[in-house]
């Protein structure tokens, strides 16, 4: 896949500063139950799957920004992952990254990807049941361009966009009702900070910090966000997804070593989490595989100290193809009453800063995971 330079060393440094945050205790990924294979996608047009939702009849999937017109479609699949129909867009989408399904069966396509952060507007496409073409709704951020890959729906059917950036991710909602052909401003409803884990993944530390997809449970009582490494499930009260994301404590499911996991969905009965990865750039013959994971038990996880860095946490080099990391919010200050634990966190933070500065001087940039329009 073509690649491009996307972030500077300063952005990498600010992303690394979030290492000192508290973590949620999660099961050891090595001991977690292996996922079950649901089905494999054999249609050659679906190799860069960035969004998936489960339906009563199977799945709906989209690729991210693809150069080939045959891949710029909404794909409907049966329960065996065979494509049964496709729906074209009336105009060319920019970078479709996630999917959601409303209570009335409307399919929402999140055209919100922006690796270079150059878009003046992003978009949501809505495809009503029985419609032949999706309808375009343009949106604009109040604080400059953002890259985003996660779309959720709250209890009122209002879309919620979560940005893809390390540290504090932005949670945005439309300022008013969407209007076809018009541009509606987004408002920053809050921020969320994912807990740290140690789950192995192709992008090491970065893969555990960047939100790459989201889903709303069929009953609306929970939502899930995923990274390249894990899924984080939040309980939702009275349909208030923003409050759940910004004030809740997530339950965590490890999704170890998925090739490039950007999609997550609930099964239609709400019992399982389903994922699928991109396979572009993988060895020939690799097929996108829908995996099924057990949902986490309904409990409040305990907060623990940050894990010690492992060998796999070394920052990637300019040729490693790590995903883009946006600028996070400032890390919490160390508590002087924290004793030995606080001292260790402080020393770790200093070490990370030094490593980041050296890497910024020697490397300067981190390559993004792929070219997008």
């Amino acid at each position: 896949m073509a690649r491009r330079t996307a972030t500077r060393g300063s952005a990498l440094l600010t992303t690394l500063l979030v290492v000192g945050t508290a973590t949620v205790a999660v099961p050891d990924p090595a001991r977690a139950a292996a996922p079950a294979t649901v089905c494999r996608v054999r249609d050659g047009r679906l190799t860069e799957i960035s969004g998936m939702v489960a339906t009563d009849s199977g799945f709906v999937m989209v690729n991210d920004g693809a150069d080939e017109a045959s891949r710029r479609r909404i794909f409907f699949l049966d329960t065996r992952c065979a494509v049964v129909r496709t729906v074209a867009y009336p105009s060319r989408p920019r970078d479709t990254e996630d999917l959601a399904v409303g209570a009335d069966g409307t399919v929402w396509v999140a055209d919100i990807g922006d690796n270079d952060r150059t878009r003046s507007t992003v978009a949501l496409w809505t495809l009503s049941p029985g419609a032949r073409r999706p309808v375009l709704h343009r949106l604009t951020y109040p604080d400059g361009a953002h890259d985003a890959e996660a779309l959720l729906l709250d209890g009122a059917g209002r879309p919620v966009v979560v940005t893809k950036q390390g540290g504090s991710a932005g949670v945005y909602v439309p300022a008013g009702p969407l209007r076809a052909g018009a541009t509606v401003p987004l408002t920053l409803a809050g921020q969320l900070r994912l807990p740290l884990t140690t789950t192995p993944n192709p992008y090491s530390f970065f893969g555990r910090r960047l939100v790459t997809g989201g889903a709303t449970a069929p009953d609306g009582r929970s939502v899930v966000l995923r990274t390249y490494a894990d899924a984080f499930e939040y309980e939702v009260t009275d349909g208030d997804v923003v409050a759940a994301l910004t004030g809740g404590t997530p339950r965590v499911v490890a999704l170890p070593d998925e090739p490039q996991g950007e999609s997550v969905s609930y099964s239609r009965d709400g019992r399982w989490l389903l994922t699928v990865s991109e396979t572009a750039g993988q060895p020939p013959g690799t097929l996108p595989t829908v995996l099924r994971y057990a949902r986490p038990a309904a409990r409040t996880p305990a907060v623990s100290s940050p894990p010690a860095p492992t060998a796999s946490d070394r920052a990637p080099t300019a040729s490693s193809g790590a995903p883009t990391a946006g600028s996070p919010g400032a890390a919490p200050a160390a508590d002087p009453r924290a004793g030995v634990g606080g001292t260790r966190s402080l020393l770790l933070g200093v070490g990370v800063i030094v490593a980041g500065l050296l890497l910024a001087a020697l490397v300067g940039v981190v390559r993004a995971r792929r070219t997008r329009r």
Side-chain angles (χ1 to χ4, degrees):
M1 290 182 294
R3 307 236 179 206
R4 67 183 162 202
T5 301
T7 65
R8 299 189 181 276
S10 58
L12 170 62
L13 174 58
T14 53
T15 298
L16 289 171
L17 292 177
V18 302
V19 168
T21 61
T23 64
V24 168
V26 298
D28 182 353
R31 298 181 181 180
T37 296
V38 177
C39 55
R40 290 184 170 86
V41 181
R42 301 182 182 278
D43 193 302
R45 295 171 294 179
L46 282 166
T47 60
E48 297 182 78
I49 300 171
S50 57
M52 172 184 69
V53 289
T55 66
D56 292 335
S57 57
F59 307 94
V60 184
M61 298 183 185
V62 292
N63 291 301
D64 60 20
D67 291 334
E68 296 182 24
S70 63
R71 300 185 181 188
R72 295 194 301 269
R73 291 175 173 266
I74 304 171
F75 293 83
F76 290 79
L77 295 80
D78 62 19
T79 57
R80 297 182 179 181
C81 284
V83 174
V84 293
R85 72 182 180 104
T86 66
V87 175
Y89 300 94
S91 59
R92 180 169 180 167
R94 293 284 297 276
D95 193 352
T96 53
E97 288 288 357
D98 205 6
L99 285 169
V101 174
D104 63 351
T106 295
V107 175
W108 293 73
V109 182
D111 188 355
I112 55 178
D114 189 12
N115 273 355
D116 285 343
R117 294 168 176 80
T118 58
R119 296 178 65 171
S120 58
T121 63
V122 292
L124 298 175
W125 300 84
T126 54
L127 181 66
S128 301
R132 296 183 177 182
R133 287 188 174 185
V135 176
L136 177 65
H137 307 273
R138 293 187 179 88
L139 303 162
T140 183
Y141 289 103
D143 51 0
H146 295 279
D147 188 24
E149 296 188 3
L151 174 68
L152 305 169
L153 298 177
D154 68 11
R158 180 179 61 166
V160 179
V161 174
V162 181
T163 60
K164 181 183 181 182
Q165 60 193 55
S168 296
V171 180
Y172 292 84
V173 297
L178 301 185
R179 292 174 293 161
T183 299
V184 174
L186 290 163
T187 61
L188 178 62
Q191 293 182 319
L192 71 89
R193 184 183 293 273
L194 295 177
L196 288 175
T197 72
T198 58
T199 306
N201 68 93
Y203 303 114
S204 188
F205 170 79
F206 293 94
R208 305 180 194 119
R209 305 303 293 152
L210 305 175
V211 176
T212 63
T216 304
D219 62 8
R221 296 181 180 179
S222 60
V223 294
V224 64
L225 296 174
R226 73 159 299 163
T227 63
Y228 291 104
D230 303 279
F232 300 87
E233 186 178 52
Y234 296 81
E235 292 185 5
V236 177
T237 302
D238 297 327
D240 194 340
V241 169
V242 171
L245 296 179
T246 58
T249 301
R251 299 183 294 268
V252 186
V253 176
L255 312 175
D257 297 320
E258 293 193 359
Q260 187 162 314
E262 298 193 3
S263 303
V264 65
S265 175
Y266 286 91
S267 60
R268 289 303 294 166
D269 60 10
R271 296 178 56 195
W272 311 96
L273 293 179
L274 306 175
T275 69
V276 68
S277 289
E278 292 192 17
T279 55
Q282 296 298 311
T286 303
L287 297 175
T289 303
V290 177
L291 300 175
R292 186 182 71 193
Y293 294 84
R295 287 180 62 181
R299 61 178 178 81
T300 301
V303 176
S304 66
S305 298
T310 64
S312 65
D313 286 333
R314 290 191 297 268
T317 65
S319 61
S320 65
T324 302
S327 299
D335 186 347
R337 299 169 295 176
V340 175
T343 301
R344 288 176 178 172
S345 295
L346 180 59
L347 290 175
L348 177 59
V350 172
V352 170
I353 292 173
V354 173
L357 289 172
L358 289 174
L359 188 60
L362 294 174
V363 179
V365 294
V366 175
R367 296 178 63 87
R369 62 183 177 81
R370 73 172 162 271
T371 298
R372 288 185 180 151
R373 293 183 180 271

